[in-house]
Amino acid sequence: MHQIKEISESSPMEGLRLVSSFFPQGVVFSTSLGQEDQVLTDMVCTENLPINIFTLDTGRLFPEHYTLLANNQARYKRKIHVYFPDQTQTEDYVNTHGINGFYHSLENRKRCCYIRKVEPLNRALKGAKVWITGLRSEQSESREQLSVIEYDEQKQLYKYNPLLHWSYQEVLDYLKQQNVQELSLHSKGYISVGCQPCTRPIVEGENPRAGRWWWEESHKECGLHSN
């Protein structure tokens, strides 16, 4: 499909314009409010592209997430839809495993991620044709093999990663040049930021995702981007 090739070979800004043109309805962007997602939020909103923006509120986020979410909506005058975990599943999990049961086993942690992230994501993507993410290949080994745009058989949609080949410095440069607000946590060593009890700051030389699920030696993914 020539349209997909054209998008994959374009700059992020031009790619966002193209994907909006080729798929005038059903394009969604999921923001975690991290640095990459702040870049994409600024691009989408500055160009006033017809892309629906949403975020997942797991119920265990940092207070700084809510401050930035409110600031984004005030600055861009753009609705950002918030999806929450299913109440019954969340209550059952907490009453069975405890409020911090995710520390006790990998199985418990993955189940918590599924309830608080994956299931709400699946609802958010229902009916979508293209899902835009802020993934970059530098972030982890599992992301090095991704393509800029690819078809997700499981979710039955295209997944577009416009910043895939950007360096972290390019992200920082854009944020500075466009005066885009970031999570204040980034200046405190939190680079990849997830739920509050599952994220710690990293030290110099560590992988950006080393602070995620820091008590585990591997499995640094929550299931949102697993096919």
Side-chain angles (χ1 to χ4, degrees):
M1 187 176 180
H2 76 279
Q3 295 170 322
I4 301 304
K5 183 179 181 181
E6 188 174 356
I7 293 170
S8 66
E9 295 177 349
S10 299
S11 67
M13 188 68 262
E14 182 58 26
L16 290 170
R17 295 191 190 105
L18 289 173
V19 81
S20 300
S21 174
F22 295 153
F23 302 89
Q25 294 182 335
V27 182
V28 299
F29 163 49
S30 58
T31 175
S32 67
L33 302 171
Q35 290 167 305
E36 291 82 4
D37 291 342
Q38 284 298 99
V39 169
L40 293 175
T41 296
D42 186 74
M43 289 181 176
V44 169
C45 294
T46 300
E47 292 289 312
N48 196 29
L49 298 175
I51 295 172
N52 293 322
I53 305 175
F54 71 88
T55 191
L56 307 178
D57 184 346
T58 65
R60 301 301 299 267
L61 299 180
F62 287 84
E64 288 85 348
H65 280 106
Y66 302 104
T67 299
L68 184 55
L69 177 60
N71 290 344
N72 278 349
Q73 292 176 320
R75 172 174 177 170
Y76 298 114
K77 304 296 188 294
R78 187 74 173 260
K79 178 180 179 180
I80 299 176
H81 195 97
V82 181
Y83 287 86
F84 295 89
D86 176 80
Q87 177 182 343
T88 300
Q89 290 188 53
T90 306
E91 289 177 354
D92 287 347
Y93 177 89
V94 170
N95 289 325
T96 300
H97 301 290
I99 193 67
N100 291 331
F102 42 82
Y103 289 136
H104 301 157
S105 72
L106 178 60
E107 181 181 18
N108 281 4
R109 197 274 288 173
K110 287 188 172 182
R111 180 60 183 166
C112 186
C113 286
Y114 180 85
I115 292 171
R116 295 182 183 275
K117 294 182 177 182
V118 179
E119 192 277 331
L121 174 72
N122 290 338
R123 284 189 276 117
L125 295 179
K126 188 175 182 179
K129 295 179 180 178
V130 181
W131 171 25
I132 299 170
T133 85
L135 298 181
R136 290 189 305 108
S137 59
E138 282 186 345
Q139 292 170 328
S140 68
E141 291 184 5
S142 63
R143 298 178 180 183
E144 291 177 353
Q145 306 303 317
L146 295 176
S147 300
V148 173
I149 188 166
E150 54 194 0
Y151 193 73
D152 189 322
E153 291 285 352
Q154 181 179 357
K155 294 182 173 63
Q156 294 290 291
L157 47 62
Y158 285 102
K159 189 174 182 181
Y160 177 38
N161 312 304
L163 302 182
L164 186 67
H165 300 308
W166 271 30
S167 67
Y168 183 52
Q169 189 59 52
E170 286 178 290
V171 172
L172 296 179
D173 289 345
Y174 182 97
L175 294 170
K176 182 177 180 179
Q177 291 164 8
Q178 301 302 320
N179 193 31
V180 178
Q181 187 171 353
E182 307 172 47
L183 285 169
S184 58
L185 294 165
H186 295 313
S187 64
K188 301 174 183 177
Y190 294 86
I191 304 303
S192 177
V193 187
C195 292
Q196 187 170 20
C198 300
T199 310
R200 67 158 173 81
I202 63 172
V203 298
E204 187 175 353
E206 278 191 305
N207 182 280
R209 292 182 67 80
R212 303 291 295 276
W213 308 291
W214 39 267
W215 63 95
E216 297 176 1
E217 294 184 1
S218 58
H219 306 289
K220 299 297 185 177
E221 296 287 352
C222 59
L224 291 179
H225 300 289
S226 299
N227 292 337

